[in-house]
Amino acid sequence: MAITRRGLLGAASAAWATTVFTRPASAAAEFEFKLGVNTPDTHPLTVRLTEAVRAIGAQSSGRLNVTVFPNSQLGGDPEMLSQVRAGGIELLAAPSMTLSTLVPLSGLPSVGFAFQSYDQVWAAMDGGVGDVVRDAIGKAGVVPMKKMWDNGFRQITSSSSRQLNGVEDLRGFKIRVPVTALLTSLFSGLGALPSSISYSELYSALQTHIVEGQENPLAQVSTGKLYEVQKYCALSNHCWSGYWVIANRRALAALPADLLEILKSNFDAAAVRERADLLEMDHSLQAELTAKGMIFNKPDPVQFRAALVNAGFYTQWQKTYGAEAWAQLEKYTGRLA
């Protein structure tokens, strides 16, 4: 069942209150896991992760205790990815864009202007595209859960100095992108000047005008309070992105079979609920952000897609991902290049 924005905040408060007040019981746990995530505690991702780890604790009778560390408390995304690989933390809700620095194929679902709707997204990610990406992640030394979590379709925001109505407005535009080659390539192909900055440093980079704008789903714009330092939002839907809950292989291998099943089943069930939450939240966010002073416009995606074709973007990434993986993607999106 989806939760409203007000319900989301209440759920977050309740989740964190429960976490704080039950921490002393964790001393008896056989297994102590840390889970890092970059989203604030009010984001649907953090709320549902927290609910999942509470259920894991209850169903394991306290044998497995997982503590969620939101808001990049354990470091930026690249640092947390290194930690989960090394075993410094056991679990990470890894943005697919960040994960693509280790596993290039995790960027496959985020090819520019590929998916047109969530129906396409979840058919692909619970189907053939998800299979391809999970297999690649597993070969990189970490273990992904089966279900992918939603981050949302990504939009472009900008400061008061520039509203983005078309491709020409992106020329020379200094935009923050995640530390990933795919989005750097996409915005370079559109004539912008992309700069790779970790999400934990994004607000200050916008505030100090190191970059003029950024691109993220509306949920990130809201929960990260980016509306305080951005004036305009172009509803570009230029790509979709998600999160994979991944685990250190050695930590997961140490769990008895019953605890492993409890962990996996709860994270996968929570992922499905988070998808519904984010969709519900996204429906109300434009009005909420407008009330906070943001100005929205909806540019025509056709001209952006044409610019990317001319820049060789699709040809480049088809070669990068390989014919087999690209064919899996096009089964759900239709022909891209």
Side-chain angles (χ1 to χ4, degrees):
M1 180 178 178
I3 52 181
T4 63
R5 174 73 167 153
R6 181 174 297 176
L8 178 68
L9 295 173
S13 298
W16 289 111
T18 303
T19 300
V20 170
F21 293 130
T22 59
R23 280 298 294 276
S26 68
E30 294 175 38
F31 299 93
E32 287 275 3
F33 282 9
K34 295 186 291 291
L35 191 163
V37 62
N38 64 10
T39 48
D41 57 9
T42 55
H43 192 284
L45 176 67
T46 312
V47 172
R48 293 301 189 183
L49 285 171
T50 304
E51 290 181 357
V53 304
R54 289 169 59 197
I56 289 166
Q59 292 174 24
S60 69
S61 300
R63 294 166 59 204
L64 172 57
N65 183 72
V66 182
T67 304
V68 178
F69 293 86
N71 210 28
S72 302
Q73 290 180 30
L74 300 180
D77 293 327
E79 290 77 23
M80 287 194 289
L81 182 58
S82 294
Q83 288 182 66
V84 79
R85 293 183 69 200
I89 61 178
E90 291 77 20
L91 294 159
L92 171 64
S96 55
M97 296 295 193
T98 301
L99 193 54
S100 70
T101 61
L102 172 65
V103 185
L105 268 174
S106 73
L108 179 65
S110 298
V111 168
F113 301 96
F115 292 120
Q116 305 299 310
S117 69
Y118 270 117
D119 287 343
Q120 289 182 334
V121 168
W122 299 128
M125 299 318 299
D126 291 337
V129 175
D131 291 341
V132 167
V133 177
R134 271 192 308 276
D135 182 63
I137 295 171
K139 291 177 180 176
V142 290
V143 181
M145 302 298 110
K146 184 175 182 181
K147 293 288 187 182
M148 194 174 191
W149 299 57
D150 193 17
N151 190 29
F153 282 94
R154 303 175 79 90
Q155 321 298 348
I156 308 170
T157 68
S158 55
S159 66
S160 58
S161 63
R162 191 185 309 215
Q163 186 175 23
L164 305 172
N165 293 297
V167 174
E168 65 279 3
D169 298 318
L170 277 170
R171 294 197 181 100
F173 179 61
K174 293 187 293 183
I175 183 170
R176 175 269 177 185
V177 297
V179 185
T180 171
L182 179 62
L183 282 179
T184 299
S185 170
L186 188 154
F187 282 100
S188 294
L190 295 174
L193 301 174
S195 179
S196 294
I197 298 172
S198 179
Y199 182 78
S200 60
E201 301 170 359
L202 172 55
Y203 187 98
S204 62
L206 293 168
Q207 189 176 40
T208 56
H209 306 291
I210 292 173
V211 288
E212 300 171 80
Q214 63 87 51
E215 54 76 57
N216 255 308
L218 292 185
Q220 298 276 30
V221 176
S222 175
T223 59
K225 298 185 177 181
L226 302 185
Y227 53 82
E228 295 178 347
V229 286
Q230 296 281 269
K231 179 70 173 178
Y232 297 107
C233 181
L235 296 170
S236 54
N237 284 337
H238 54 276
C239 71
W240 174 84
S241 63
Y243 281 81
W244 290 100
V245 172
I246 59 174
N248 175 272
R249 186 179 298 279
R250 292 183 300 277
L252 221 57
L255 291 178
D258 61 330
L259 295 188
L260 181 60
E261 176 57 29
I262 287 171
L263 182 139
K264 287 183 174 181
S265 63
N266 276 288
F267 278 132
D268 285 341
V272 175
R273 292 193 292 270
E274 185 266 354
R275 295 175 184 182
D277 294 342
L278 208 61
L279 184 61
E280 179 79 12
M281 188 178 182
D282 203 51
H283 286 158
S284 63
L285 277 176
Q286 186 173 339
E288 180 182 313
L289 291 168
T290 297
K292 294 181 183 297
M294 292 201 82
I295 298 172
F296 287 81
N297 64 293
K298 190 167 180 62
D300 180 5
V302 173
Q303 60 173 306
F304 291 96
R305 179 91 176 262
L308 290 176
V309 170
N310 291 336
F313 172 82
Y314 295 105
T315 300
Q316 172 194 343
W317 287 99
Q318 184 178 21
K319 291 178 181 177
T320 298
Y321 292 133
E324 184 177 344
W326 194 264
Q328 278 291 339
L329 179 64
E330 289 189 329
K331 278 174 55 178
Y332 301 92
T333 64
R335 184 170 175 79
L336 294 171

